[in-house]
Amino acid sequence: MSSPAHTSPASTRTSLQSTSTVTSSSVFVVNALEKFAKAKETKKNKALKEAVLNAQNMLNNDEAAPEGQTRSTVILAALQTAINTRSVNLMTISLDCLGKFIAYNYLDDMENEAAQTQVMEKMVDIICDCFIGEETDEKVQLQIIKALLDAVYSTRNPLHQSALLKAVRTTYNIFLLSRNSANQNVAQVTLTQMVDHIFRRIEIRPVAKKNQPAHETTIASKETSSDDPEKSSEEHTSEADASYQQQIIVEANMARVEMDQKLPSGKQKDNTEDFLNDTASIFHEGAEVAASPATAEKLPKPEPEREIITTTTSDNDVAANAGPTDSQVSTTNDTSSVQGSEQGDFENDRFQTNTAETEADLFIKDAILVFRALCKLSKKQISSEWGNDMRSYSMRSKLLSLHLILTILTSHMTIMSSPSVVLSSGRDDPTVSQLANPFILEVKQYLCPSLAKNAFSLVPQVFNITLEILWKVVQGLRVFLKKEIEVFFKEIVFRILEMRNASFQQKHTLLKIVLRICSDPQTLVDIYLNYDCDRQALDNIYERLVYVLSKITTSQSSPGSLKDQDIHSSGSDYSNGHGHSNNNSVIIPPPLTTATILSNERHSNSAPQMPESAIKFKSLECLVAVLQSLVTWYANNSVSISSTTENEEDHSRGNTPRESEDRRASSDPFTSHSNISLSRMSPSLSTSGVSANTSNGGGPLTSRMDDPEQFENLKHRKQLLQDGIRLFNWKPKKAIQLLANHGFLDINDPQSKARFLLNTEGLSKTFIGEYLGEGEPENVATMHAFVDEMDFTGMKFLDALRLFLQSFRLPGEAQKIDRFMLKFAERYVNGNPGVFANADTPYVLAYHVIMLNTDQHNPTVKNRMTYEDFVKNNRGLDDGNNISEDILQYIYTEIRKNEIKLNDETEAANNAALMASAGGMGGLGMTGLQNALANAGIMRDSRREAYQAATEEMGSKTEAIFRSMLASRSRAGENETFTFYIASHVEHVRPMFEVAWMAFLAGMSGALQKSDDLETVKLCLDGFKHAIRIICLFHTVQSEDMDLQRDAFVTTLTKFTFLTNLNEMKPKNVEAIKTLLEVASVDGNYLKGSWKEILSTVSQLERFQLITSGIDQGALPDIANKRFQAPPRGYPTQLSLSEEVASAGSSQSLVLAADKLFTATVNLNGDAIVDFVRALCETSWEEIVSSAHLEHPRMYSLQKLVEISYYNMNRIRIEWSNIWAILGEYYNKVGCQSNFNVAFFALDSLRQLAMRFLEKEELPHFKFQKDFLMPFRNILANNPDVAIKDMVLRCLSQMILARAQNIRSGWKTMLSVFATGARETSESIVHMTFDIVRSVANERFHDIIANGTFPDYISCLIEFSKNKKFQKISLPALDMIRGTIPAMLEIAEKNTIEITDVHASNSAGQTAQTDDDFLVKFWFAVLYGLKEVTMHSDDVEVRKRALQYLFDTLKEYGSSFTPEFWTTVSRQIVFPLFDDLKSDSDHQRTMTPEDLSVWLSTTMIEALRNVVDLYTFYFENIKGMMRPILGLFGVCITQDNDTLARIGCECLEQYIETNVEKFDPSCWDLVAETFVNLFEKTTAHGLFDDTEDLVDKVKAIPAASNDTTNQYSETTTIQHADVNEERQHSFQQVIVKCVLQLMLIQTVSELLSKDAVYFAFPAHHLMQIMECLGRSFHFAKRFNGDNDLRMALWRFVALVGLVINLTISAGFMKQLPNLLKQETSSGGCYVSILMRMYANLENISDRDDRRVEIENTLIPLCNEIFTLYTELDHETKPKNIVAWTPVVVSILSGLAQLQDEDFLRHVPRFYMPSVELLGQDNLLPDIRLALRTLLVRVGKTYKISPQEIA
């Protein structure tokens, strides 16, 4: 098929024929025959003359052709006869006529198409035979080319297979051998057109898909191996059983041997005959393939259910590059060296001949054959390459073939990759294989070795064009060549880039191709997904590529200036000139004629040598291109892919994409979906792929299959595996555990571990051997499983041993070796029974082989083992028999020729040698002089030859890898399945950047630091922009790693501005500043914490601009130096900058860019503006701190803060709240700066902003005004400067005057500011504040109330009232607090104000009751304020007035309070007045003892009395508060302060006495409970509990004497009884409790002595109190009776006195301590009350109810006291007598007053003790009188005395 756009001779002539008759179109034949007839050669040649005559007669007379012939055959016979004359003239005429004959389809007169085809092929043979080599006439050459072009372009009788190949071959030979440059050019163009036409006529037909989704295409191609029994069956068996890795090594070794044979000692012969034979052999081979039906018998039978075309590969495919057989190529003695490797490359590939083939099938086969031939030609060895002769046949042949391959890939990529290129013939025949593949899968076996062969060429033109082909493969065929491309990168790209000996030209050219890859986002992301995220891939291609590029960029440069070289020019890029388009249809390669190529060679030789700087620049370009691609990928979201239908239509119209077009979007269906599973290519997806399904509706799914999360997990898994491998190569045991933890193997399964060790790439063979050789059971089990995984079946013993020893390095310990050899012997015998008698034989033989290997190859061994010695050593080894001599001979010979050694180590050593640095020499390790001599031909370039040999060996090794890949798949007999993912998600960008960001940073920063070239700098800066852009694109990912990456790039870019080192600034640093500003402008929304670095740079830029304008540098400190350091003496303060830097740094564009940064903040989002403001605040603070020593510090950033606040004034309130949270704190800090100018500017800025904010109306219940006014309070409180304080107050006063109507929540802050001012010590500030507050109260009191800030107003007045220094203001403020009461009551009555915002919290953190009535809040505020003044004012007069106002207010207005509010008032107003009574009171801790004493003796006592008065006045209203009130009295009573305790007792007594009539039973319960608790708290239990050890110590001391020595001795002894501060304090507390209890007894006695109280007191509660008195009495009695304890205490007290003051005499305490007063007081009160209750003269009913209980208590008590009194001695205990006498008198009087019945019952018990009292000598008169009364009553009762006795 011919493209409409393509114009050819054939098409032109065909069109002419369509409008002409046969007669008219025969004119050219008639004319040719006439010329023949006139030629003198005709007259001499009878046969020619006869043939011409017959043809003329037939045409002129319109005669019929002879029988058995046609008109066309008659004419052809004449033309052939003319050609056979070999006359140039006749040949020229004949060839021209043949061309026209073909063009006008003269064969149509043949009815049989087969006959037409045969004649057509014969015509091609005739034309081709006209070329006999370079001696062929130039005109004949030209006519041959024209005729062959017509034949190839023929559409009626198209050429196929052998004929087509012959036509192409002849044209190819003319190009090579013609001496005419014009003919060479024509031949090249014609050949290009032929090849293009061969591929264009392939029809792309849709493939019927079975059970496949619309968006999924799965293609299968099965590659099998044909076993030829006649060729090396033994070699085939050995290779079939070898491992994949071993096969690669074998191929590489054989290639190395072959290369050694090819290295010439001089230039080889390069003649015409050689190349005619070479091209003939290559094309003839294709012809045989196409023509020979016998080859079908050799093809294996395909699987019937698969439609595939089978390509067979003989065993020679696996072998080295063998030469062709004699039957294939006719050779001469000189041609053996030039027929090299290409003859053996897949030379036995066959297509099956099928008579049912369609023309479309033939077209496909033709294309395959031509492509195959070109690939083989491109692999031919360049015979004169060592001389760099570009005109040699081999060089031009290679270049042309490579260019043609590139042309095919460029113009016909759709054919290469389309699954629609299929063979239709034989579909119904299950025995016929079909091509169900993209075209590339059939020809990749030829293309890949060709690329491997030429990729290491030192000829620049060959190298360049090879890389161009490689780029096309990666760009368009990566989907189908996944593993091959991995090999390309590992073995070609990375090797060349990492080889230090590789020429700079090679690296530069390769980097150009890498740049294209890096510039293609789709290709780049696909590489990452399919290699870096694939465990099966041996390397991380993308990651390694970036790191290699970064390493090149940062490598040390050789001496030389970059400025001397044009490092940015593309250099001599041979491939960039590839082709031009002929009518936009055929891409024509550049001319390769001898003249043209000579010119190119001279130009390349004259070009300067590529500098290393160019390599670095190109590598840098690649790095930046990667970043650019990642950004582009994100921006495009996914790659737009054309539909399959459109592509096919374009192809059918002949429209091929131009080379300049973006071919990223593949035109085949394979790239129209997310991923492809190729099983070479199998219909089933691999396990790693994701199968795509269709929906129920049958349509394709829209979901993409390259799930980013899945690939991130895959990448993570691969990273874990690589980490485990690295750890294994250091600590195997830990690595195995780690790998097991991550699920890569089962640590409990030896087989799992063995497979991992055997099959995992990258594991050190040494450490494998060490791990397996350990003697632990698990290691031994793993070693056995490891060996069991190897299959030695059918292998020779030495081959098996080699394979065994290649899998690990044999350890050095004998025991470990022994275990290995035992297992190997067992395994070998199992796989090869019958070879040896038992396992002992291979076991010992293995040892002997290892010994032989060491003996033969150890350089220290002088006398080496002979074969006879080896045989002797193994004699009788096989169970007493000898091993076969054939085996021993084979082993000995092989070991001697080929040492057993680890191929990995050998290869590593070779690579290390190749990668070794050449020191200071050139790229090939040569000095400049050597290079010059070698180029001039004076000196042999031996180093270059050695280097070329090494690189060709690498090429051969790479080619061997491809061979082994094909052979391995073929031998497997199964379809290999892999999945290729087509990327589509933007999320892949993030992990791609994360794995290589450090390489990007190192590469670009290194180049930016070293280079001053502006283009390099610009490139680096572009890279920084892209990197930061990528990080910002994924701002939603909350990760510390992302923050680290962003900060690293921004910080590095900031450092390159050099604004901190102005003397070293260069133009590149100015460019860095521009880039930084651009980054901030573009990605400002996502810079987060990196804003700090950017804004610091902007600040430094402003400083730089000021300095360049003439300001002294010393006046503008660097913010990097936060602490000012004076410059050393003599230090220049003026900069020495170049004019270029100064002008660029101060340029208007840079100034505008910096300003735009701030004006553009309006476009930042809510989070970004917060980050921006935070960073600007930090920068501003650094400016201020660094210049604080100056009178006018730098405030550039502070000014910008104000500006951006104005710019962003229209932001929503929630965003402003977040902004102000930062700004407010910053203004707090700046406003308190010690520098007046800074604080003044901050305060003025704050005022301006506040006025702007107050212009906006604030809705109710918001508090933004409160927040933005808060800095005023902090500045006023923390800035010590009175002028600043004054300005704060004036600012607020101005706001109130100008914006009072808009102030809402701001009142709260303002009042808090005034409260702060009220606390100041400056009189002017306090007076000004008070004046403002008084003015506000007079004019804006309603606003204060309406906005819920009345509590704040009161708090403000409180602060004035508490001011320590200014009483003149305190008292008026107190009056203002009281004065608010009538005003509030008036407002309440009118109910004219609605409170919109209520602030319930007060300054001390207390919270009022949550009642809706604002009067409650008002009352609480006022009362709380008065309470605060009462408690905290230092002025007694103020406290007194505040206390008076407080309780007067409560009494006056308390009637309107609810019980709930009374509870609140009591708990939060009244009771807190007495918080100082608590030991942990904060107020008490802040008072001096003197102040506390004054407070207690004045305010506290007055408050207690007011409390009694208040709670008595409103008793009914606040009865519920009785418990806390009684508790308050109890707290007072239990104080250490005697006065306070006494007042407490008085208040308690007064409270009970005053309210006694109002008490109900619950009240009496509380009263009784209070007394019980007080008695308990005041009981000195410590007298007994804490003094037991004292008693024991005192008992051990001798009786006291007056001896001073004894006194001090006792003191010393008692000191050991823990006489310490704690015990002293405890003793003091005991004394206090005793005093308090005595006071409490007196209170009870006084209270119950009052009739009103006694009558109201219930008997039950009286008895509770009596119990307390009884306990007190018995406690005191117990103590008084314990003389030992009293003695111990007496001595303790004496000791305390001595410790305090040793001058105190021993008579410190005149008598022993006692509780006599407590005992007598409690006893007397106890008895008197019980007596009154028992007598019940008042006839109170509840007393009688408890008469028995009272009697049972009273009578024993009286008896006890009476007995106690009678036992007292008047002389020794006179005080006791005096103390107890009133009690006894009371008892006697009580007994005398009992009723008769009671008196008669109880008097006998007291009669005799009473009589005994009369016997005392010193009987007191009171006792005597009481006894008389009692005895008189006795006489009357018993009637033993007259009644009248009184």
Side-chain angles (χ1 to χ4, degrees), residues 278 588 596 606 665 755 948 1553 1745:
D278 288 346
I588 306 298
T596 305
S606 63
R755 289 175 180 171
Q948 179 163 353
E1553 182 180 356
D1745 296 339

Side-chain angles (χ1 to χ4, degrees), residues 631-877:
V631 173
T632 303
W633 178 260
Y634 189 97
N636 295 340
N637 192 6
S638 61
V639 181
S640 58
I641 300 171
S642 305
S643 65
T644 306
T645 305
E646 292 177 354
N647 288 323
E648 291 178 353
E649 289 176 357
D650 289 344
H651 183 77
S652 65
R653 293 193 298 266
N655 296 333
T656 58
R658 297 188 301 275
E659 186 180 22
S660 61
E661 290 179 345
D662 182 9
R663 297 182 53 83
R664 187 180 65 205
S666 178
S667 58
D668 60 85
F670 278 90
T671 56
S672 65
H673 55 83
S674 296
N675 48 82
I676 306 154
S677 182
L678 302 174
S679 69
R680 297 285 187 269
M681 304 283 289
S682 170
S684 62
L685 293 172
S686 71
T687 56
S688 62
V690 181
S691 179
N693 299 314
T694 56
S695 60
N696 294 334
L701 289 175
T702 59
S703 62
R704 295 174 292 185
M705 298 173 67
D706 58 325
D707 179 19
E709 184 177 357
Q710 173 194 356
F711 277 94
E712 199 162 351
N713 292 336
L714 290 174
K715 175 62 177 174
H716 179 64
R717 292 286 296 168
K718 185 174 182 179
Q719 186 63 45
L720 290 176
L721 176 61
Q722 292 175 333
D723 292 343
I725 292 174
R726 281 192 290 270
L727 181 60
F728 183 90
N729 295 339
W730 180 38
K731 294 184 177 180
K733 192 171 184 179
K734 287 187 177 180
I736 292 295
Q737 183 63 52
L738 177 67
L739 291 165
N741 293 340
H742 292 306
F744 292 105
L745 52 87
D746 183 357
I747 198 169
N748 297 319
D749 182 10
Q751 190 176 22
S752 173
K753 290 188 285 185
R755 289 175 180 171
F756 181 85
L757 296 176
L758 186 62
N759 301 323
T760 303
E761 295 288 337
L763 295 178
S764 167
K765 300 296 180 65
T766 300
F767 283 98
I768 292 176
E770 290 294 332
Y771 179 78
L772 296 177
E774 293 295 330
E776 299 294 331
E778 60 174 304
N779 298 80
V780 173
T782 305
M783 184 268 288
H784 287 179
F786 182 84
V787 179
D788 289 338
E789 286 293 317
M790 302 180 189
D791 185 11
F792 303 135
T793 304
M795 296 182 69
K796 293 181 178 179
F797 175 80
L798 183 57
D799 296 339
L801 185 59
R802 285 185 184 275
L803 177 63
F804 176 67
L805 295 179
Q806 285 299 324
S807 58
F808 66 97
R809 169 179 274 281
L810 205 60
E813 298 181 24
Q815 293 181 349
K816 295 180 180 180
I817 297 175
D818 186 68
R819 284 193 291 269
F820 277 113
M821 293 299 106
L822 285 172
K823 183 59 184 177
F824 166 74
E826 176 212 336
R827 184 64 177 162
Y828 184 81
V829 170
N830 287 339
N832 300 275
V835 176
F836 297 111
N838 51 48
D840 288 334
T841 303
Y843 167 69
V844 179
L845 182 59
Y847 267 109
H848 290 175
V849 170
I850 294 174
M851 293 171 59
L852 174 65
N853 186 76
T854 304
D855 177 86
Q856 295 295 315
H857 298 283
N858 192 329
T860 61
V861 177
K862 296 181 179 180
N863 299 322
R864 303 195 182 276
M865 186 185 303
T866 62
Y867 171 68
E868 290 74 16
D869 296 334
F870 182 65
V871 172
K872 182 179 179 181
N873 289 342
N874 293 283
R875 188 167 298 160
L877 188 63

Side-chain angles (χ1 to χ4, degrees), residues 524-541:
L524 202 62
V525 182
D526 286 351
I527 287 174
Y528 173 76
L529 293 189
N530 291 282
Y531 300 107
D532 291 60
C533 299
D534 186 4
R535 273 187 60 190
Q536 303 303 320
L538 304 182
D539 206 345
N540 296 327
I541 300 298

Side-chain angles (χ1 to χ4, degrees), residues 1581-1588:
H1581 296 292
L1583 282 174
F1584 297 101
D1585 297 342
D1586 301 334
T1587 56
E1588 295 179 358

Side-chain angles (χ1 to χ4, degrees), residues 488-534:
F488 285 143
F489 273 99
K490 286 187 60 180
E491 301 297 333
I492 297 176
V493 176
F494 294 149
R495 274 185 178 273
I496 294 176
L497 291 179
E498 291 177 340
M499 275 196 307
R500 297 185 181 181
N501 286 339
S503 69
F504 292 155
Q505 182 66 48
Q506 276 187 314
K507 289 186 177 182
H508 191 268
T509 305
L510 178 56
L511 285 172
K512 290 180 183 179
I513 303 303
V514 173
L515 178 60
R516 296 186 198 176
I517 297 174
C518 296
S519 301
D520 187 352
Q522 181 72 57
T523 301
L524 202 62
V525 182
D526 286 351
I527 287 174
Y528 173 76
L529 293 189
N530 291 282
Y531 300 107
D532 291 60
C533 299
D534 186 4

